[in-house]
PDB file of all heavy atoms in Angstrom:
ATOM      1  N   ALA A  12     -16.850  31.981  -4.408  1.00 97.00           N
ATOM      2  CA  ALA A  12     -15.717  32.709  -3.793  1.00 97.00           C
ATOM      3  C   ALA A  12     -14.682  31.819  -3.095  1.00 97.00           C
ATOM      4  O   ALA A  12     -13.579  31.984  -3.174  1.00 97.00           O
ATOM      5  CB  ALA A  12     -16.283  33.608  -2.664  1.00 97.00           C
ATOM      6  N   LEU A  13     -15.169  30.653  -2.488  1.00 97.00           N
ATOM      7  CA  LEU A  13     -14.182  29.731  -1.826  1.00 97.00           C
ATOM      8  C   LEU A  13     -13.379  29.106  -2.902  1.00 97.00           C
ATOM      9  O   LEU A  13     -12.177  28.975  -2.697  1.00 97.00           O
ATOM     10  CB  LEU A  13     -14.925  28.681  -1.069  1.00 97.00           C
ATOM     11  CG  LEU A  13     -14.125  27.710  -0.290  1.00 97.00           C
ATOM     12  CD1 LEU A  13     -13.205  28.438   0.649  1.00 97.00           C
ATOM     13  CD2 LEU A  13     -14.885  26.590   0.404  1.00 97.00           C
ATOM     14  N   ALA A  14     -13.960  28.831  -4.072  1.00 97.00           N
ATOM     15  CA  ALA A  14     -13.014  28.232  -5.027  1.00 97.00           C
ATOM     16  C   ALA A  14     -11.928  29.032  -5.443  1.00 97.00           C
ATOM     17  O   ALA A  14     -10.784  28.667  -5.630  1.00 97.00           O
ATOM     18  CB  ALA A  14     -13.833  27.747  -6.302  1.00 97.00           C
ATOM     19  N   ILE A  15     -12.301  30.338  -5.734  1.00 97.00           N
ATOM     20  CA  ILE A  15     -11.176  31.367  -6.078  1.00 97.00           C
ATOM     21  C   ILE A  15     -10.300  31.541  -4.924  1.00 97.00           C
ATOM     22  O   ILE A  15      -8.957  31.565  -5.142  1.00 97.00           O
ATOM     23  CB  ILE A  15     -11.893  32.670  -6.351  1.00 97.00           C
ATOM     24  CG1 ILE A  15     -12.742  32.648  -7.638  1.00 97.00           C
ATOM     25  CG2 ILE A  15     -10.846  33.913  -6.515  1.00 97.00           C
ATOM     26  CD1 ILE A  15     -13.629  33.749  -7.947  1.00 97.00           C
ATOM     27  N   GLY A  16     -10.640  31.727  -3.763  1.00 98.00           N
ATOM     28  CA  GLY A  16      -9.745  31.889  -2.592  1.00 98.00           C
ATOM     29  C   GLY A  16      -9.028  30.598  -2.435  1.00 98.00           C
ATOM     30  O   GLY A  16      -7.702  30.775  -2.133  1.00 98.00           O
ATOM     31  N   ALA A  17      -9.477  29.472  -2.474  1.00 97.00           N
ATOM     32  CA  ALA A  17      -8.811  28.242  -2.208  1.00 97.00           C
ATOM     33  C   ALA A  17      -7.645  27.990  -3.214  1.00 97.00           C
ATOM     34  O   ALA A  17      -6.608  27.484  -2.973  1.00 97.00           O
ATOM     35  CB  ALA A  17      -9.701  26.980  -2.138  1.00 97.00           C
ATOM     36  N   ALA A  18      -7.967  28.398  -4.464  1.00 97.00           N
ATOM     37  CA  ALA A  18      -7.005  28.293  -5.607  1.00 97.00           C
ATOM     38  C   ALA A  18      -5.866  29.199  -5.213  1.00 97.00           C
ATOM     39  O   ALA A  18      -4.583  28.850  -5.491  1.00 97.00           O
ATOM     40  CB  ALA A  18      -7.557  28.629  -6.974  1.00 97.00           C
ATOM     41  N   ILE A  19      -6.078  30.280  -4.788  1.00 98.00           N
ATOM     42  CA  ILE A  19      -4.988  31.356  -4.310  1.00 98.00           C
ATOM     43  C   ILE A  19      -4.142  30.755  -3.167  1.00 98.00           C
ATOM     44  O   ILE A  19      -2.908  30.698  -3.159  1.00 98.00           O
ATOM     45  CB  ILE A  19      -5.548  32.625  -4.045  1.00 98.00           C
ATOM     46  CG1 ILE A  19      -6.008  33.372  -5.400  1.00 98.00           C
ATOM     47  CG2 ILE A  19      -4.444  33.565  -3.437  1.00 98.00           C
ATOM     48  CD1 ILE A  19      -6.899  34.522  -5.244  1.00 98.00           C
ATOM     49  N   LEU A  20      -4.928  30.173  -2.182  1.00 98.00           N
ATOM     50  CA  LEU A  20      -4.152  29.502  -1.034  1.00 98.00           C
ATOM     51  C   LEU A  20      -3.330  28.254  -1.534  1.00 98.00           C
ATOM     52  O   LEU A  20      -2.630  27.658  -0.758  1.00 98.00           O
ATOM     53  CB  LEU A  20      -5.176  29.213   0.031  1.00 98.00           C
ATOM     54  CG  LEU A  20      -5.886  30.306   0.754  1.00 98.00           C
ATOM     55  CD1 LEU A  20      -6.817  29.776   1.852  1.00 98.00           C
ATOM     56  CD2 LEU A  20      -4.771  31.317   1.355  1.00 98.00           C
ATOM     57  N   GLY A  21      -3.677  27.726  -2.803  1.00 97.00           N
ATOM     58  CA  GLY A  21      -3.087  26.609  -3.119  1.00 97.00           C
ATOM     59  C   GLY A  21      -1.630  26.839  -3.710  1.00 97.00           C
ATOM     60  O   GLY A  21      -0.884  25.924  -3.923  1.00 97.00           O
ATOM     61  N   THR A  22      -1.309  28.093  -3.724  1.00 97.00           N
ATOM     62  CA  THR A  22       0.020  28.462  -4.128  1.00 97.00           C
ATOM     63  C   THR A  22       0.641  27.726  -5.346  1.00 97.00           C
ATOM     64  O   THR A  22       1.753  27.367  -5.418  1.00 97.00           O
ATOM     65  CB  THR A  22       1.039  28.314  -2.909  1.00 97.00           C
ATOM     66  OG1 THR A  22       1.309  26.979  -2.673  1.00 97.00           O
ATOM     67  CG2 THR A  22       0.498  28.969  -1.689  1.00 97.00           C
ATOM     68  N   GLY A  23      -0.254  27.489  -6.356  1.00 95.00           N
ATOM     69  CA  GLY A  23       0.183  26.961  -7.558  1.00 95.00           C
ATOM     70  C   GLY A  23      -0.131  25.404  -7.576  1.00 95.00           C
ATOM     71  O   GLY A  23      -0.020  24.743  -8.647  1.00 95.00           O
ATOM     72  N   GLY A  24      -0.349  24.853  -6.475  1.00 92.00           N
ATOM     73  CA  GLY A  24      -0.622  23.363  -6.366  1.00 92.00           C
ATOM     74  C   GLY A  24      -2.079  23.074  -5.763  1.00 92.00           C
ATOM     75  O   GLY A  24      -2.903  23.928  -5.735  1.00 92.00           O
ATOM     76  N   GLY A  25      -2.236  21.937  -5.231  1.00 90.00           N
ATOM     77  CA  GLY A  25      -3.431  21.606  -4.555  1.00 90.00           C
ATOM     78  C   GLY A  25      -4.600  21.287  -5.433  1.00 90.00           C
ATOM     79  O   GLY A  25      -5.671  20.786  -4.936  1.00 90.00           O
ATOM     80  N   GLY A  26      -4.355  21.459  -6.768  1.00 87.00           N
ATOM     81  CA  GLY A  26      -5.412  21.020  -7.732  1.00 87.00           C
ATOM     82  C   GLY A  26      -6.472  22.081  -7.856  1.00 87.00           C
ATOM     83  O   GLY A  26      -6.865  22.833  -6.964  1.00 87.00           O
ATOM     84  N   ASP A  27      -7.055  22.174  -9.094  1.00 84.00           N
ATOM     85  CA  ASP A  27      -8.188  23.044  -9.342  1.00 84.00           C
ATOM     86  C   ASP A  27      -9.262  22.633  -8.565  1.00 84.00           C
ATOM     87  O   ASP A  27      -9.725  21.308  -8.687  1.00 84.00           O
ATOM     88  CB  ASP A  27      -8.527  22.945 -10.842  1.00 84.00           C
ATOM     89  CG  ASP A  27      -9.527  23.928 -11.417  1.00 84.00           C
ATOM     90  OD1 ASP A  27     -10.422  24.262 -10.442  1.00 84.00           O
ATOM     91  OD2 ASP A  27      -9.464  24.371 -12.499  1.00 84.00           O
ATOM     92  N   PRO A  28      -9.890  23.549  -7.814  1.00 87.00           N
ATOM     93  CA  PRO A  28     -11.019  23.174  -6.938  1.00 87.00           C
ATOM     94  C   PRO A  28     -12.308  22.709  -7.666  1.00 87.00           C
ATOM     95  O   PRO A  28     -13.303  22.292  -6.994  1.00 87.00           O
ATOM     96  CB  PRO A  28     -11.440  24.382  -6.018  1.00 87.00           C
ATOM     97  CG  PRO A  28     -10.164  25.288  -6.165  1.00 87.00           C
ATOM     98  CD  PRO A  28      -9.538  24.878  -7.555  1.00 87.00           C
ATOM     99  N   TYR A  29     -12.324  22.707  -8.908  1.00 87.00           N
ATOM    100  CA  TYR A  29     -13.508  22.485  -9.760  1.00 87.00           C
ATOM    101  C   TYR A  29     -14.274  21.224  -9.426  1.00 87.00           C
ATOM    102  O   TYR A  29     -15.512  21.275  -9.192  1.00 87.00           O
ATOM    103  CB  TYR A  29     -13.142  22.595 -11.286  1.00 87.00           C
ATOM    104  CG  TYR A  29     -14.371  22.301 -12.240  1.00 87.00           C
ATOM    105  CD1 TYR A  29     -15.345  23.323 -12.330  1.00 87.00           C
ATOM    106  CD2 TYR A  29     -14.471  21.085 -12.811  1.00 87.00           C
ATOM    107  CE1 TYR A  29     -16.349  23.034 -13.221  1.00 87.00           C
ATOM    108  CE2 TYR A  29     -15.530  20.793 -13.706  1.00 87.00           C
ATOM    109  CZ  TYR A  29     -16.506  21.863 -13.888  1.00 87.00           C
ATOM    110  OH  TYR A  29     -17.558  21.593 -14.776  1.00 87.00           O
TER     111      TYR A  29
END
Side-chain angles (χ1 to χ4, degrees):
Chain A
L13 182 60
I15 290 171
I19 291 167
L20 296 181
T22 69
D27 185 327
Y29 179 71

